[in-house]
Structures are given as structure tokens and as C-alpha cells.
Amino acid sequence: MEIKELKTKTELLSAFPVMKQLRTHLDESSYLALVKEAAEKDSYRLFALLEEGKITAVTGFKPMITLYYGRFVWICDLVTAEDSRSRGYGEKLLTFVQEWAQAHGYESTALSSGLQREAAHRFYENKMAYQKASYVFKKDL
């Protein structure tokens, strides 16, 4: 098992089939454009967990500073391939992000999760000891 940062176009595209399971609204070209822009403008980083050379889970995150959270890492994306779930891959990636954040001087990690993703909520709260801190509101413009 290996966790690897994805940087090249080929590496980023190799993660798309797994990411698509979470971000179903994206096609390959919009995914690639958004990842590149987020990396350039917002310090977004994308990592994959590989099992025997195959990407089984991915996470994207970005370091941030706000008055509410202080210095923290926002976990934008975390998904395990459907055929690889319940094997501890999400836990390994989330632990990796937490360790990365701590090693780089950040005080916490945070994420949002869709209201319908009840199994994910149980995972975050019961397995990974995350607490509900707020509601996230969105308005399309």
C-alpha cells in the first residue's frame, strides 16, 4: 500500500474514475481543469492510495487560514472506489491528511459532507472522532 501525490496530467487523469464516484457532475476535462486551477490558485493537493499499483482511494485538500478555524486543512474530497470500500482505505487517507496537517503546522482538519451521506457521517464521527461544528450553506449565483 502506498500514498502518492498526483501531479502530472497522466497521474491526475488516472484518479478520475475514482473521483467521479464522488463528483458525479464532472467530466474528465472539467475535473482536470478544476484540479489544475485549484492547485495553482488555492494550494489544492491531490493524493491517491494505491493497492498493488491500483488507485483505490483519493483525497484532495488545501491548507487554509480563517478567523473561525485558525490554521487548518480543508478536506475537499475523500472517496474510496466502490469496489474497495470497508477495507480501511478512507481511514488511512484521512489519517494521512491529519498527519500531513500536523507536520506542516496546522491546528486541525475540517470537511463538509452531503446531507444524504449518512454512512460517511457515521465514519467521520464514530471512527475518526470528528465533531459537527457547523452547517454549510450554499447559494448558486
Side-chain angles (χ1 to χ4, degrees), residues 16 19-20 22-28 30-31 34 77:
F16 179 71
M19 184 66 81
K20 176 78 173 166
L22 178 64
R23 305 296 179 215
T24 57
H25 64 287
L26 295 176
D27 61 27
E28 201 171 74
S30 59
Y31 155 80
L34 286 169
D77 313 290

Side-chain angles (χ1 to χ4, degrees), residues 32-117:
L32 189 59
L34 286 169
V35 168
K36 286 182 173 187
E37 183 177 4
E40 291 169 10
K41 294 182 178 177
D42 221 9
S43 301
Y44 178 85
R45 303 179 76 156
L46 186 63
F47 287 81
L49 187 145
L50 295 94
E51 182 73 47
E52 297 179 10
K54 177 185 173 194
I55 294 177
T56 56
V58 294
T59 187
F61 62 87
K62 59 184 180 176
M64 295 179 68
I65 301 169
T66 66
L67 297 179
Y68 181 69
Y69 287 121
R71 293 176 44 81
F72 72 105
V73 171
W74 181 258
I75 301 161
C76 307
D77 313 290
L78 177 67
V79 60
T80 299
E82 192 171 345
D83 64 353
S84 297
R85 292 189 182 146
S86 298
R87 296 184 192 167
Y89 298 140
E91 180 179 1
K92 287 187 187 327
L93 269 183
L94 200 50
T95 299
F96 168 80
V97 175
Q98 292 166 179
E99 290 170 352
W100 185 98
Q102 194 168 31
H104 289 85
Y106 293 91
E107 300 162 355
S108 62
T109 57
L111 55 85
S112 68
S113 180
L115 295 172
Q116 75 285 3
R117 300 189 65 228

